[in-house]
Amino acid sequence: MSDHDRWGDAAGAYVLGAMPAREREQFESHLATCATCQADVDELRPAAEALPMAALPMRPPAALKDRIMAEVEREAALLAEAGPAADKPPRERRRRRFSLGGWRLAPVAAALLIVGAIAGFALRGGDGTQTFSAGPNAQVQVHGDTATLVAENMKAPPEGRVYEVWVVPKGESSPQPTNVLFVPRGNGSAEAAIPGSASDIARVMVSDEPAGGSDAPTGDVVADATLS
């Protein structure tokens, strides 16, 4: 099995942050040498980032995820039954796509993105906690008037920099600095309490900044949640 055969269907899981840290590192090494997989990632990433922001806060029906996962398993079973060449040339068969909101997605990736979108909705837990997607690797959890940033599989910031948390107060458009600076743990996880009253915050953002922090964002925004 070639390196591309191993990773040919991994783009959907990658853009959703659903890979274990070690597999993510291996796939990123593969991406550096595989234009086809990089194109798949570039194609799926905007859809993965947009889907969680496209729905009103709601709790999806309990059976919905089961139905989606059943479709994923059905697709996997069909590919397994057809043999290793099932998703190989002719190119039209290998690159078969489903349409989802204008995006053309591979069948398994399409189902994965739907599951990711469900996970990204603002859900209210039994204890009253609401969860807002901040991208494929982070979320903001609001309980009462307290907000907490929770991240998984987040890359470390560039050397010599840290992640800084920003808030955009309701009625304003410019991000304001906080005193929260952090670096994810070795496994990419992190939690950070967000200062201030959650009821006064419209957005929470995270960007990489110099070690001492900045008064205005200067680096890449790696997480962005709208609290509404």
Side-chain angles (χ1 to χ4, degrees):
M1 177 183 292
S2 71
D3 196 41
H4 177 71
D5 289 339
R6 177 186 179 189
W7 298 111
D9 292 321
Y14 177 75
V15 298
L16 289 173
M19 282 183 169
R22 180 172 178 77
E23 285 189 16
R24 185 180 183 86
E25 291 175 1
Q26 292 173 342
F27 182 63
E28 287 174 345
S29 296
H30 171 71
L31 281 180
T33 61
C34 181
T36 300
C37 285
Q38 183 61 61
D40 285 345
V41 168
D42 292 342
E43 179 183 15
L44 293 176
R45 193 187 300 278
E49 293 175 351
L51 279 171
M53 308 304 295
L56 295 174
M58 60 174 291
R59 178 181 290 278
L64 179 57
K65 183 176 179 180
D66 291 339
R67 293 202 302 269
I68 292 171
M69 293 311 299
E71 178 62 22
V72 172
E73 292 170 1
R74 186 189 70 82
E75 180 77 21
L78 288 174
L79 289 175
E81 182 179 349
D87 61 348
K88 298 301 181 290
R91 185 173 180 83
E92 290 76 11
R93 180 176 60 189
R94 181 182 173 276
R95 303 291 289 179
R96 184 177 40 162
R97 291 290 188 256
F98 286 168
S99 178
L100 181 63
W103 296 96
R104 306 295 292 178
L105 309 176
V108 173
L112 284 170
L113 285 178
I114 295 171
V115 174
I118 292 171
F121 291 159
L123 301 181
R124 185 178 297 278
D127 62 352
T129 299
Q130 286 184 285
T131 301
F132 299 89
S133 172
N137 301 108
Q139 58 183 220
V140 174
Q141 297 178 354
V142 176
H143 182 74
D145 213 25
T146 301
T148 304
L149 175 78
V150 180
E152 294 183 356
N153 297 322
M154 180 177 279
K155 288 184 178 180
E159 185 175 357
R161 297 174 73 86
V162 298
Y163 287 131
E164 182 169 358
V165 176
W166 309 83
V167 297
V168 178
K170 288 183 177 178
E172 300 185 24
S173 58
S174 299
Q176 304 297 315
T178 70
N179 60 356
V180 180
L181 306 174
F182 71 94
V183 173
R185 302 180 183 93
N187 64 1
S189 65
E191 300 85 30
I194 300 169
S197 171
S199 61
D200 295 331
I201 299 173
R203 289 174 64 190
V204 175
M205 302 165 60
V206 178
S207 64
D208 68 88
E209 302 296 335
S214 303
D215 293 329
T218 65
D220 292 333
V221 175
V222 298
D224 189 348
T226 299
L227 310 190
S228 60

